[in-house]
Amino acid sequence: MIVKQLSVFLENKEGRLCDAIETLSSNGINISALSLADSTEYGMLRMLVSDPESGVKVLKAAGIPAKLTDVICLKAAHKTGALSRILKAFMGKGIAIEYMYAFAAGENASVVMKTSDTEKAIEVIKESDIEAWEAETIYNINA
């Protein structure tokens, strides 16, 4: 249920995003989903990729700061209230959602979450009958 996300720290300079994406591409690593958040001086690029372990290695070898982060990727139907149902399951459980992004995956939307307590979040997911993607499915979703 835990998915390894590639987290990349980028300077807010022309070409840095392209450098990171091209490094992955030239090493045969496919991107399934991504999110980019920025501030004045830097950006945080978060990606689900076909081979996270290799991704972090090739980025670091290219001088691009990167690390792996544990996230959870949940299935959500493409209908009104699906995300609300997921979020309500976490209410009152002492788990903060640190960040979240979503992407389409066939008939379902997929919600990527970083929580304050991954193990506790997994318990809530199981108790609430929420579906989660397996890591290998996410890594190869567009293959």
Side-chain angles (χ1 to χ4, degrees):
M1 187 176 300
I2 294 174
V3 176
K4 297 291 184 185
Q5 171 189 268
L6 189 54
S7 300
V8 184
F9 183 78
L10 297 172
E11 293 175 282
N12 246 356
K13 292 184 179 177
E14 184 176 346
R16 294 302 290 156
L17 176 60
C18 186
D19 292 343
I21 300 301
E22 178 58 30
T23 298
L24 295 173
S25 175
S26 65
N27 284 278
I29 298 169
N30 189 41
I31 301 168
S32 299
L34 66 80
S35 170
L36 178 63
D38 72 340
S39 69
T40 306
E41 298 175 17
Y42 67 91
M44 179 57 73
L45 176 62
R46 297 179 172 112
M47 298 178 281
L48 301 181
V49 299
S50 57
D51 186 346
E53 300 288 341
S54 293
V56 77
K57 287 178 187 171
V58 299
L59 287 169
K60 285 183 176 183
I64 301 169
K67 69 176 188 169
L68 295 177
T69 306
D70 288 344
V71 295
I72 299 167
C73 191
L74 306 174
K75 293 182 187 180
H78 276 143
K79 61 183 179 182
T80 303
L83 181 57
S84 178
R85 179 182 163 272
I86 289 170
L87 295 175
K88 282 181 181 178
F90 287 92
M91 288 180 61
K93 307 287 188 193
I95 303 168
I97 297 173
E98 296 176 0
Y99 59 82
M100 179 174 71
Y101 56 98
F103 64 98
E107 296 178 8
N108 293 301
S110 298
V111 179
V112 180
M113 283 185 177
K114 171 72 170 94
T115 65
S116 58
D117 187 333
T118 303
E119 294 306 316
K120 197 171 182 182
I122 290 170
E123 289 175 24
V124 169
I125 290 163
K126 289 178 180 176
E127 290 169 2
S128 303
D129 199 31
I130 297 170
E131 280 190 86
W133 291 101
E134 293 298 326
E136 285 305 314
T137 302
I138 291 300
Y139 300 152
N140 296 298
I141 206 156
N142 295 318

PDB file of all heavy atoms in Angstrom, residues 70-72 90 95-99 113-122 125:
ATOM      1  N   ASP A  70       7.738   8.117   1.420  1.00  0.00           N
ATOM      2  CA  ASP A  70       6.608   7.190   1.477  1.00  0.00           C
ATOM      3  C   ASP A  70       5.298   7.967   1.401  1.00  0.00           C
ATOM      4  O   ASP A  70       5.062   8.891   2.180  1.00  0.00           O
ATOM      5  CB  ASP A  70       6.620   6.391   2.779  1.00  0.00           C
ATOM      6  CG  ASP A  70       7.719   5.349   2.817  1.00  0.00           C
ATOM      7  OD1 ASP A  70       8.286   5.032   1.753  1.00  0.00           O
ATOM      8  OD2 ASP A  70       7.993   4.833   3.912  1.00  0.00           O
ATOM      9  N   VAL A  71       4.449   7.573   0.450  1.00  0.00           N
ATOM     10  CA  VAL A  71       3.110   8.144   0.316  1.00  0.00           C
ATOM     11  C   VAL A  71       2.119   6.997   0.141  1.00  0.00           C
ATOM     12  O   VAL A  71       2.503   5.848  -0.064  1.00  0.00           O
ATOM     13  CB  VAL A  71       3.012   9.134  -0.875  1.00  0.00           C
ATOM     14  CG1 VAL A  71       3.889  10.359  -0.647  1.00  0.00           C
ATOM     15  CG2 VAL A  71       3.359   8.466  -2.197  1.00  0.00           C
ATOM     16  N   ILE A  72       0.863   7.333   0.215  1.00  0.00           N
ATOM     17  CA  ILE A  72      -0.213   6.370  -0.006  1.00  0.00           C
ATOM     18  C   ILE A  72      -0.979   6.843  -1.229  1.00  0.00           C
ATOM     19  O   ILE A  72      -1.230   8.049  -1.388  1.00  0.00           O
ATOM     20  CB  ILE A  72      -1.146   6.321   1.216  1.00  0.00           C
ATOM     21  CG1 ILE A  72      -0.368   5.888   2.451  1.00  0.00           C
ATOM     22  CG2 ILE A  72      -2.325   5.396   0.963  1.00  0.00           C
ATOM     23  CD1 ILE A  72      -1.115   6.102   3.746  1.00  0.00           C
ATOM     24  N   PHE A  90     -10.545  10.177   7.827  1.00  0.00           N
ATOM     25  CA  PHE A  90      -9.364  10.583   8.596  1.00  0.00           C
ATOM     26  C   PHE A  90      -9.698  11.553   9.736  1.00  0.00           C
ATOM     27  O   PHE A  90      -8.880  11.760  10.624  1.00  0.00           O
ATOM     28  CB  PHE A  90      -8.316  11.220   7.678  1.00  0.00           C
ATOM     29  CG  PHE A  90      -7.617  10.221   6.807  1.00  0.00           C
ATOM     30  CD1 PHE A  90      -8.092   9.919   5.544  1.00  0.00           C
ATOM     31  CD2 PHE A  90      -6.492   9.550   7.262  1.00  0.00           C
ATOM     32  CE1 PHE A  90      -7.465   8.986   4.744  1.00  0.00           C
ATOM     33  CE2 PHE A  90      -5.849   8.608   6.474  1.00  0.00           C
ATOM     34  CZ  PHE A  90      -6.346   8.327   5.210  1.00  0.00           C
ATOM     35  N   ILE A  95      -4.505  12.232  12.544  1.00  0.00           N
ATOM     36  CA  ILE A  95      -3.603  12.135  11.388  1.00  0.00           C
ATOM     37  C   ILE A  95      -3.749  13.397  10.550  1.00  0.00           C
ATOM     38  O   ILE A  95      -4.838  13.731  10.100  1.00  0.00           O
ATOM     39  CB  ILE A  95      -3.943  10.911  10.512  1.00  0.00           C
ATOM     40  CG1 ILE A  95      -3.898   9.621  11.321  1.00  0.00           C
ATOM     41  CG2 ILE A  95      -3.014  10.840   9.304  1.00  0.00           C
ATOM     42  CD1 ILE A  95      -4.494   8.435  10.607  1.00  0.00           C
ATOM     43  N   ALA A  96      -2.640  14.089  10.349  1.00  0.00           N
ATOM     44  CA  ALA A  96      -2.650  15.276   9.492  1.00  0.00           C
ATOM     45  C   ALA A  96      -2.302  14.872   8.065  1.00  0.00           C
ATOM     46  O   ALA A  96      -1.432  14.027   7.843  1.00  0.00           O
ATOM     47  CB  ALA A  96      -1.645  16.298   9.995  1.00  0.00           C
ATOM     48  N   ILE A  97      -2.987  15.464   7.109  1.00  0.00           N
ATOM     49  CA  ILE A  97      -2.630  15.281   5.702  1.00  0.00           C
ATOM     50  C   ILE A  97      -1.691  16.424   5.359  1.00  0.00           C
ATOM     51  O   ILE A  97      -2.081  17.588   5.335  1.00  0.00           O
ATOM     52  CB  ILE A  97      -3.875  15.263   4.803  1.00  0.00           C
ATOM     53  CG1 ILE A  97      -4.745  14.053   5.180  1.00  0.00           C
ATOM     54  CG2 ILE A  97      -3.464  15.219   3.328  1.00  0.00           C
ATOM     55  CD1 ILE A  97      -6.079  14.005   4.500  1.00  0.00           C
ATOM     56  N   GLU A  98      -0.420  16.082   5.159  1.00  0.00           N
ATOM     57  CA  GLU A  98       0.612  17.089   4.933  1.00  0.00           C
ATOM     58  C   GLU A  98       0.527  17.694   3.538  1.00  0.00           C
ATOM     59  O   GLU A  98       0.748  18.881   3.358  1.00  0.00           O
ATOM     60  CB  GLU A  98       1.987  16.489   5.204  1.00  0.00           C
ATOM     61  CG  GLU A  98       2.137  16.083   6.669  1.00  0.00           C
ATOM     62  CD  GLU A  98       3.447  15.394   6.987  1.00  0.00           C
ATOM     63  OE1 GLU A  98       4.289  15.207   6.069  1.00  0.00           O
ATOM     64  OE2 GLU A  98       3.627  15.029   8.156  1.00  0.00           O
ATOM     65  N   TYR A  99       0.257  16.852   2.545  1.00  0.00           N
ATOM     66  CA  TYR A  99      -0.026  17.337   1.203  1.00  0.00           C
ATOM     67  C   TYR A  99      -0.728  16.241   0.429  1.00  0.00           C
ATOM     68  O   TYR A  99      -0.745  15.072   0.844  1.00  0.00           O
ATOM     69  CB  TYR A  99       1.215  17.843   0.454  1.00  0.00           C
ATOM     70  CG  TYR A  99       2.321  16.826   0.256  1.00  0.00           C
ATOM     71  CD1 TYR A  99       2.287  15.891  -0.778  1.00  0.00           C
ATOM     72  CD2 TYR A  99       3.433  16.833   1.090  1.00  0.00           C
ATOM     73  CE1 TYR A  99       3.315  14.984  -0.953  1.00  0.00           C
ATOM     74  CE2 TYR A  99       4.459  15.924   0.915  1.00  0.00           C
ATOM     75  CZ  TYR A  99       4.397  15.001  -0.106  1.00  0.00           C
ATOM     76  OH  TYR A  99       5.409  14.104  -0.288  1.00  0.00           O
ATOM     77  N   MET A 113      -1.366  10.847  -1.088  1.00  0.00           N
ATOM     78  CA  MET A 113      -1.352  11.539   0.203  1.00  0.00           C
ATOM     79  C   MET A 113      -0.062  11.283   0.952  1.00  0.00           C
ATOM     80  O   MET A 113       0.409  10.155   1.016  1.00  0.00           O
ATOM     81  CB  MET A 113      -2.453  11.006   1.114  1.00  0.00           C
ATOM     82  CG  MET A 113      -3.804  11.437   0.856  1.00  0.00           C
ATOM     83  SD  MET A 113      -4.826  10.754   2.190  1.00  0.00           S
ATOM     84  CE  MET A 113      -6.367  11.475   1.736  1.00  0.00           C
ATOM     85  N   LYS A 114       0.447  12.341   1.547  1.00  0.00           N
ATOM     86  CA  LYS A 114       1.526  12.237   2.528  1.00  0.00           C
ATOM     87  C   LYS A 114       0.886  12.606   3.844  1.00  0.00           C
ATOM     88  O   LYS A 114       0.316  13.686   3.987  1.00  0.00           O
ATOM     89  CB  LYS A 114       2.667  13.195   2.176  1.00  0.00           C
ATOM     90  CG  LYS A 114       3.731  13.322   3.253  1.00  0.00           C
ATOM     91  CD  LYS A 114       4.587  12.077   3.344  1.00  0.00           C
ATOM     92  CE  LYS A 114       5.792  12.279   4.241  1.00  0.00           C
ATOM     93  NZ  LYS A 114       5.588  11.854   5.616  1.00  0.00           N
ATOM     94  N   THR A 115       0.939  11.682   4.796  1.00  0.00           N
ATOM     95  CA  THR A 115       0.310  11.926   6.091  1.00  0.00           C
ATOM     96  C   THR A 115       1.356  12.010   7.190  1.00  0.00           C
ATOM     97  O   THR A 115       2.500  11.599   7.015  1.00  0.00           O
ATOM     98  CB  THR A 115      -0.695  10.806   6.440  1.00  0.00           C
ATOM     99  OG1 THR A 115       0.010   9.578   6.594  1.00  0.00           O
ATOM    100  CG2 THR A 115      -1.763  10.666   5.366  1.00  0.00           C
ATOM    101  N   SER A 116       0.921  12.496   8.322  1.00  0.00           N
ATOM    102  CA  SER A 116       1.819  12.628   9.477  1.00  0.00           C
ATOM    103  C   SER A 116       2.158  11.277  10.094  1.00  0.00           C
ATOM    104  O   SER A 116       3.164  11.153  10.788  1.00  0.00           O
ATOM    105  CB  SER A 116       1.183  13.537  10.529  1.00  0.00           C
ATOM    106  OG  SER A 116      -0.073  13.008  10.943  1.00  0.00           O
ATOM    107  N   ASP A 117       1.351  10.261   9.822  1.00  0.00           N
ATOM    108  CA  ASP A 117       1.566   8.929  10.390  1.00  0.00           C
ATOM    109  C   ASP A 117       1.092   7.889   9.387  1.00  0.00           C
ATOM    110  O   ASP A 117      -0.097   7.540   9.351  1.00  0.00           O
ATOM    111  CB  ASP A 117       0.822   8.796  11.717  1.00  0.00           C
ATOM    112  CG  ASP A 117       1.128   7.500  12.454  1.00  0.00           C
ATOM    113  OD1 ASP A 117       1.482   6.494  11.799  1.00  0.00           O
ATOM    114  OD2 ASP A 117       0.987   7.498  13.694  1.00  0.00           O
ATOM    115  N   THR A 118       2.004   7.382   8.569  1.00  0.00           N
ATOM    116  CA  THR A 118       1.653   6.472   7.483  1.00  0.00           C
ATOM    117  C   THR A 118       1.017   5.191   8.000  1.00  0.00           C
ATOM    118  O   THR A 118       0.004   4.726   7.457  1.00  0.00           O
ATOM    119  CB  THR A 118       2.900   6.147   6.629  1.00  0.00           C
ATOM    120  OG1 THR A 118       3.451   7.374   6.149  1.00  0.00           O
ATOM    121  CG2 THR A 118       2.554   5.259   5.459  1.00  0.00           C
ATOM    122  N   GLU A 119       1.572   4.591   9.033  1.00  0.00           N
ATOM    123  CA  GLU A 119       1.028   3.325   9.549  1.00  0.00           C
ATOM    124  C   GLU A 119      -0.388   3.503  10.089  1.00  0.00           C
ATOM    125  O   GLU A 119      -1.270   2.676   9.844  1.00  0.00           O
ATOM    126  CB  GLU A 119       1.952   2.737  10.621  1.00  0.00           C
ATOM    127  CG  GLU A 119       3.310   2.299  10.071  1.00  0.00           C
ATOM    128  CD  GLU A 119       3.204   1.336   8.891  1.00  0.00           C
ATOM    129  OE1 GLU A 119       2.379   0.391   8.945  1.00  0.00           O
ATOM    130  OE2 GLU A 119       3.943   1.525   7.905  1.00  0.00           O
ATOM    131  N   LYS A 120      -0.617   4.575  10.806  1.00  0.00           N
ATOM    132  CA  LYS A 120      -1.951   4.853  11.340  1.00  0.00           C
ATOM    133  C   LYS A 120      -2.929   5.131  10.189  1.00  0.00           C
ATOM    134  O   LYS A 120      -4.085   4.720  10.228  1.00  0.00           O
ATOM    135  CB  LYS A 120      -1.881   6.037  12.302  1.00  0.00           C
ATOM    136  CG  LYS A 120      -3.055   6.175  13.210  1.00  0.00           C
ATOM    137  CD  LYS A 120      -2.746   7.247  14.263  1.00  0.00           C
ATOM    138  CE  LYS A 120      -3.867   7.408  15.253  1.00  0.00           C
ATOM    139  NZ  LYS A 120      -3.581   8.463  16.235  1.00  0.00           N
ATOM    140  N   ALA A 121      -2.459   5.821   9.154  1.00  0.00           N
ATOM    141  CA  ALA A 121      -3.288   6.099   7.984  1.00  0.00           C
ATOM    142  C   ALA A 121      -3.695   4.801   7.295  1.00  0.00           C
ATOM    143  O   ALA A 121      -4.844   4.651   6.862  1.00  0.00           O
ATOM    144  CB  ALA A 121      -2.553   7.019   7.015  1.00  0.00           C
ATOM    145  N   ILE A 122      -2.786   3.852   7.211  1.00  0.00           N
ATOM    146  CA  ILE A 122      -3.096   2.555   6.599  1.00  0.00           C
ATOM    147  C   ILE A 122      -4.180   1.837   7.405  1.00  0.00           C
ATOM    148  O   ILE A 122      -5.091   1.237   6.835  1.00  0.00           O
ATOM    149  CB  ILE A 122      -1.816   1.708   6.447  1.00  0.00           C
ATOM    150  CG1 ILE A 122      -0.920   2.315   5.358  1.00  0.00           C
ATOM    151  CG2 ILE A 122      -2.155   0.257   6.139  1.00  0.00           C
ATOM    152  CD1 ILE A 122       0.464   1.718   5.266  1.00  0.00           C
ATOM    153  N   ILE A 125      -7.474   3.421   6.524  1.00  0.00           N
ATOM    154  CA  ILE A 125      -7.880   3.017   5.178  1.00  0.00           C
ATOM    155  C   ILE A 125      -8.506   1.625   5.214  1.00  0.00           C
ATOM    156  O   ILE A 125      -9.579   1.390   4.638  1.00  0.00           O
ATOM    157  CB  ILE A 125      -6.664   3.062   4.219  1.00  0.00           C
ATOM    158  CG1 ILE A 125      -6.268   4.524   3.993  1.00  0.00           C
ATOM    159  CG2 ILE A 125      -6.974   2.372   2.894  1.00  0.00           C
ATOM    160  CD1 ILE A 125      -4.880   4.696   3.412  1.00  0.00           C
TER     161      ILE A 125
END
